[in-house]
Structures are given as C-alpha cells and as structure tokens.
Amino acid sequence: MKGLTGVSGRIRGWRRGWHERSKLQRIDLYTRVTLCSITWVFAVSWGLLPLRRTLEAEPVAMVLGGAFLAANLAQSVLSTRDLAPAFAHYRGVERFPPGRLRLPAALQAVMTGLVVALAAVGGLDDDGLILLVLDLPVAFAIPYVLLVPVRTFLLHAAVFSTTVVALLAAAGVPARLQFGAAAALAVVILLILLSTRPSVWSLSVMWQAEEARDMQARLAVAEERLRFGRDMHDVLGRNLSVIALKSELAVELAQRGNPAATDQMVEVQRIARASQQEVRDVVRGYREADLPTELTGARGVLQAAGITCTVEGADGPAGIGAPAAVQAALGWVVRETATNVLRHGDPRHCRIRLTRTADAVVLEVENDGAGATEPSGGRGDGGGSGLAGLRERLGAVGGSLNAGAAGDGLFRVTATVPLTGPRPDASGRPVPSAPIASSSSPPPSPVPAAVDSRDTPSAPPEER
C-alpha cells in the first residue's frame, strides 16, 4: 500500500507540475521528451531486433552483438544528456562544450566497426543489417544536428555514409545490401534533419516572441514611470521654484521689518495649496482605470496570449453617458479579471459583455478555463488586487460582485453597478444620496436668493 501511495503521489506531483507550466513551457517539454523518446525507441527496436540472429550464430557474433547493444545504450544515454545543452546552444543561450562530443564520437566509431564486423562474420541477416544501419546514426545525430549548420551536417553525414558503405564493401557485403545501407542512411539522416531542426527552430521562435513580449511589457512600465515623473516635474518644478524665491524674499522683508513679508507668505501658502491639488489630480489620473482603455487593453493582451476574446456592448457606458465613477469601477474589474485569466487559468475563450438596465450597468467576464479567476474568498488589499479589493471598489459606488462556476466548464465574474449609489460623508463612509451625476444629468439647483452666501459653508481649500 505504501508503494502504491508513493506512486500515486508522484503521479499527482507530475500532473500538478504539468498544469503549473505555461503553454510555451509545455511545448518546450513536449519537444524535448519527444526527441529523447525517438532515440530510445530506435535503440530498443531497430537496434535490438536485428540482434536475434546473433543468438543462433557463433560465439564471436554473440560477443559482437552484445558489445553493439551496450554501446548503443550508452550512446542513447549520452544523447539524452547532451540534448538540453544542444537546445541552449541552438537558441544562443550558452555555448555547447566541444569536449562533450568526444565520447559520443568515439562510441559512434565503435558502433560502426561492430556493425561491419557482425556483417563480416554472418551475425546478421539481410533485413537485420538494414535495420541496424538505420539505427546507427540516430542517437549521435539528434543532438549533433543542433550544433552545426545544416550544410555542415549534411556534409558530415555524406562522409559518414560513404565510410559505412565502403567498410561494408570491404567486409564482402553484396552490392544490393550496400545500396540498401546507403539508402537507409540517407532516409534516416533526412528524417532526423527534418524532424529535429524545424521543431527546435519553431520552439526557438516562440521563446524569442515570449522574450520580446516580456521586454515590451518592461519597456511599457519604464515608459509609464518616465511619463509620471515628467508629469510630476512639470507640476511641481515651477511652483517649488516660485515658493523658494518668495520664501527667501519673505525672510529678507521680515528681517527689515517690512510688513509686506506677510503678503509674501500668504502667496507662498496659496501656491503650496494649489500645488497640492495639482499633485492630487496627477495621482488620481494615474491611478484611475478608464473603461474603454481597459477593454481594449484586455482584448489585446488576451489575444496575444492565444485566448480568443470577444467584447460585447463596449460602447455602452462610454457612449450613453454613464457616470465616470461607474466607468472607473468597471475598468478595475476588467483589469483584474483579465489579469486573473492569464495568471490562474488556461482558457481558450473569454467573453466580456456590458449591458445597461434601467438603473444599473452590468459587466460579465466569462471564460472556459477552470480556476481562471481568484476564488471569491481571495485576499484583497483594497488597492485593486483580488476579488475582495474589487468588492471594496464597487461597494464605494453601491455595486456588487459575484464570481463562480457557470456550468459547462465556464467561470463567470459579474459586476453590477447602479446608476444611483452612495456618496461618502465627511468621514469617508458611504451614505445614501441622489443619483450619481453624469453628463446627461441636469445641473444642480442654484442656491436660493434668500440665503446669504456668507452663511453658506465654504469648501476646504484643497477642494476649491
């Protein structure tokens, strides 16, 4: 039972590791395993079956056949070991150590000599000789084809084929078998070239595309930081210079006892408050999520990741005058759910749908990837990460968020934001209020004439 439990645990671990890999990592692993499998399949089929004749032959043939089998298995082990560095060499990640080819080359020479010796002592029948010749270059050629240019590989393969045929002729093999051996070598060499090189080339191109996307994302982040830095410099640079000059002037005036120093400090206070408000405006614009922009960005990112993304009703809130607060809240929902689709699942299709009822805007994000969104109990920090953070953002405008399985392998996130919602009181807590103002709402009523403007409380300085 313990043995079965251990095997079951290893299988679950392999399965978990497979699902945790990205699509490109899965393709990479599949390609490597396939090429390694080709070596071993040929070694235990074409390299083993022809040796059944040696069991009925002289002891010398049996010794030669056993030596060939041992050398073939050792060559297969070396081929499996050298495949990963050959991949890295082909992609230009690191250089393949030339010394690692010495032992495989020596084994290849030994295997060639053993095949010729078996043919000379009659330890192989005609079909067995052709099969053994087919297996002869496989283990060595699979990693070697990734280390040299195609022209060099074909030239070396031609020299090797000519040498094998010449040795077989010297061993007294009939001409028809010499022709069959030459044809077998040509077929297997072309098979290795056309199966290994294009597969690794495609994989290399995909890795380069992935690296380019990562670099593009890093450049976009760097550009955004530079833009934000420029905006902050433009906002604060001039005002801070003026504040410094006026402060120096106020100091000099105060030292002389000039009452104009007070006026200068009042002006410094006004400029400082104006700068504070400008900084808030910059930061608010930097952090705000624009719904149309987020929809376009989500569709582009998902499609770049190979996920079919459709957006329905994208002109709704933007085109029918929904409040800016509603659009900002829904923009955060689009951003977070698109991120979770890429991070937590492996879907093939994603649909984003916007609809508007009489009193609310509804956003649905649906995909066919199991676990493509953070669980509804996911931890949120209130800053937009996780479904808990989204619920807090939607709660600020009276909205709600539902997430869960929708049947048929679908996962759906539904955000509903009413067009009438709470507004914060002085302490920041939402309280019931009138409908959220929008571009289509009527302007606020003016203050009645009977009310003296001096009795109307003034707004805080930072809100003027």
Side-chain angles (χ1 to χ4, degrees):
M1 291 298 294
K2 292 183 179 180
L4 293 176
T5 303
V7 172
S8 177
R10 284 194 295 269
I11 293 175
R12 286 196 299 269
W14 294 336
R15 184 177 180 182
R16 188 183 308 112
W18 172 261
H19 287 292
E20 289 175 354
R21 294 175 181 266
S22 66
K23 292 181 178 178
L24 184 53
Q25 290 173 335
R26 294 179 188 179
I27 295 174
D28 186 294
L29 179 61
Y30 173 81
T31 303
R32 294 171 186 265
V33 171
T34 300
L35 292 178
C36 290
S37 300
I38 290 175
T39 300
W40 287 99
V41 168
F42 285 0
V44 299
S45 57
W46 294 353
L48 180 60
L49 294 178
L51 298 179
R52 68 184 186 276
R53 173 69 180 274
T54 61
L55 298 176
E56 305 171 356
E58 298 293 332
V60 175
M62 295 178 62
V63 172
L64 293 175
F68 178 85
L69 179 61
N72 196 10
L73 294 178
Q75 186 76 294
S76 299
V77 171
L78 294 177
S79 176
T80 303
R81 185 198 66 171
D82 292 340
L83 189 59
F87 263 70
H89 180 90
Y90 183 85
R91 291 182 54 206
V93 176
E94 61 183 24
R95 187 169 177 268
F96 186 89
R100 297 186 69 164
L101 283 177
R102 293 173 184 170
L103 183 55
L107 282 175
Q108 190 67 28
V110 170
M111 291 170 60
T112 302
L114 290 172
V115 170
V116 174
L118 280 170
V121 300
L124 296 172
D125 55 20
D126 294 349
D127 295 336
L129 176 62
I130 300 301
L131 287 177
L132 218 57
V133 169
L134 279 171
D135 174 66
L136 186 59
V138 172
F140 180 83
I142 286 181
Y144 186 69
V145 74
L146 303 177
L147 303 176
V148 296
V150 175
R151 182 177 301 177
T152 303
F153 175 77
L154 292 176
L155 178 61
H156 291 176
V159 172
F160 174 75
S161 301
T162 303
T163 302
V164 171
V165 173
L167 291 174
L168 290 175
V173 174
R176 59 184 181 82
L177 291 181
Q178 298 176 31
F179 177 79
L185 287 171
V187 168
V188 74
I189 288 170
L190 290 178
L191 177 64
I192 293 172
L193 178 63
L194 297 178
S195 61
T196 304
R197 191 94 178 190
S199 299
V200 180
W201 175 80
S202 301
L203 188 61
S204 177
V205 170
M206 286 188 284
W207 275 115
Q208 290 175 3
E210 182 74 11
E211 293 168 358
R213 281 194 293 268
D214 292 342
M215 180 62 69
Q216 185 178 10
R218 289 194 293 269
L219 290 176
V221 171
E223 178 63 25
E224 183 63 16
R225 289 175 177 171
L226 290 174
R227 185 197 67 80
F228 185 70
R230 288 194 300 266
D231 291 347
M232 293 297 295
H233 178 270
D234 294 341
V235 168
L236 294 179
R238 178 182 60 84
N239 288 353
L240 290 177
S241 299
V242 174
I243 288 174
L245 292 174
K246 285 187 173 294
S247 299
E248 294 175 1
L249 178 60
V251 170
E252 294 180 1
L253 293 175
Q255 291 174 349
R256 299 174 185 176
N258 193 328
T262 303
D263 297 334
Q264 294 297 327
M265 290 309 299
V266 170
E267 182 66 13
V268 167
Q269 184 182 29
R270 185 193 66 80
I271 296 174
R273 287 178 175 174
S275 300
Q276 185 181 27
Q277 184 59 43
E278 290 177 353
V279 170
R280 288 175 178 172
D281 293 339
V282 171
V283 174
R284 185 181 301 113
Y286 178 74
R287 294 182 61 188
E288 190 132 308
D290 178 67
L291 180 57
T293 301
E294 294 298 332
L295 288 170
T296 303
R299 177 164 50 190
V301 169
L302 293 175
Q303 289 179 349
I307 302 171
T308 303
C309 180
T310 58
V311 179
E312 302 174 6
D315 296 333
I320 58 179
V326 173
Q327 293 194 51
L330 294 178
W332 279 106
V333 175
V334 172
R335 179 184 298 183
E336 182 68 24
T337 52
T339 301
N340 287 341
V341 167
L342 292 173
R343 181 185 300 167
H344 300 299
D346 188 18
R348 292 175 298 174
H349 306 285
C350 180
R351 184 180 68 173
I352 304 174
R353 181 170 59 189
L354 276 165
T355 56
R356 176 171 177 171
T357 62
D359 57 355
V361 177
V362 180
L363 170 69
E364 291 182 354
V365 181
E366 185 178 270
N367 63 85
D368 59 355
T373 305
E374 179 185 355
S376 58
R379 181 179 178 270
D381 58 6
S385 64
L387 298 183
L390 291 181
R391 287 192 175 93
E392 293 180 8
R393 287 186 177 274
L394 294 176
V397 292
S400 62
L401 184 76
N402 294 316
D408 296 331
L410 298 177
F411 192 93
R412 181 182 300 157
V413 176
T414 303
T416 304
V417 182
L419 297 177
T420 58
R423 61 179 176 84
D425 60 9
S427 62
R429 293 188 299 269
V431 297
S433 67
I436 301 174
S438 67
S439 59
S440 60
S441 303
S445 302
V447 178
V451 179
D452 191 342
S453 61
R454 291 174 298 178
D455 298 331
T456 305
S458 60
E462 63 271 12
E463 294 180 2
R464 294 177 186 171

